Amino acid sequence: MEESHLDAEALCQSCFEPFGQLEDLRAPFVIACGHVICLGCLNTDVFCCGICGAPFERQIYSRLLDLNDNPTKILFDSNQLAQQLQESIALVNDHTAISHIQHLYERARRFVDSQPRNRFKDLATSVCLLGCLLQSKETLKAHSRFSNNLTERIHILQSERQGLLARIDELDRQKCDHASIMLQLPNIMRRNPDVMHSSNSRSMKH
């Protein structure tokens, strides 16, 4: 089979969907008859070409055509890929970034969905557990973000409370000063009769 390449807008000759990149289920493959189909169409229970009906062996390597015009030969082995995904999932721990877990979950879920039902039960279970872990981490992250926002709001309210208490103390001091002046006012008036006379004169005029 000759080396070849695809145009960026090429379609799968079986499902007529646009081809994707190498890690995608839409990655292009050349099968024995020479037709080009995507990984999703290749990875089915039907071992014959959907265009011409020619049989092919799925586990024997097909030529993967890179959309960047770099044809590469690979061995397409679902069992090997399932094992790799299972090992990657096993490495996930509490310190694994959510973005990495999400990427791994989406990749593994797509792979399991592309396989015949119950073919990789252990991997399907691991994917389900990984999805639960991802959901838990996202929920925990949301709660943590809410807690941080709440803590920040509490600090703001505490600062405002301190400001109000300081203002109340200032008003109390002013009130005490005013009361002290009012208590001293009679003595001041007795010591300064002119002030009293002036005050009475103004009152009579009014």
Side-chain angles (χ1 to χ4, degrees), residues 50-194:
I51 299 102
C52 66
F56 66 91
E57 296 183 51
R58 186 175 61 181
Q59 302 300 337
I60 303 301
Y61 95 87
S62 299
R63 180 168 294 128
L64 177 65
L65 300 182
D66 190 355
L67 296 182
N68 295 324
D69 300 347
N70 295 319
T72 306
K73 294 180 180 180
I74 68 168
L75 179 65
F76 177 69
D77 188 342
S78 296
N79 293 322
Q80 182 179 4
L81 181 55
Q83 182 179 356
Q84 291 174 353
L85 290 171
Q86 189 74 275
E87 291 173 352
S88 297
I89 293 175
L91 294 175
V92 173
N93 54 50
D94 292 339
H95 303 290
T96 305
I98 292 181
S99 58
H100 176 75
I101 297 177
Q102 186 171 14
H103 175 74
L104 178 59
Y105 170 73
E106 292 295 336
R107 183 184 174 199
R109 184 177 60 82
R110 286 198 304 266
F111 173 78
V112 170
D113 290 344
S114 71
Q115 299 299 310
R117 184 181 295 274
N118 297 327
R119 181 176 182 185
F120 296 105
K121 291 183 179 180
D122 291 341
L123 179 59
T125 301
S126 297
V127 172
C128 182
L129 293 175
L130 188 65
C132 293
L133 175 63
L134 178 61
Q135 185 176 8
S136 298
K137 279 185 168 290
E138 289 177 341
T139 301
L140 182 61
K141 183 179 180 180
H143 287 172
S144 178
R145 184 165 55 248
F146 174 78
S147 177
N148 291 337
N149 292 338
L150 185 60
T151 300
E152 182 179 356
R153 181 58 181 165
I154 290 174
H155 289 162
I156 293 174
L157 291 175
Q158 288 177 340
S159 178
E160 292 177 351
R161 179 177 179 273
Q162 293 298 326
L164 290 174
L165 291 176
R167 179 58 179 164
I168 291 173
D169 290 341
E170 178 64 22
L171 291 175
D172 287 341
R173 284 194 296 270
Q174 292 178 3
K175 181 179 178 181
C176 291
D177 292 342
H178 181 72
S180 177
I181 292 173
M182 293 301 295
L183 290 174
Q184 297 176 15
L185 186 59
N187 294 330
I188 295 174
M189 299 297 288
R190 283 194 295 271
R191 293 196 203 100
N192 299 277
D194 293 339

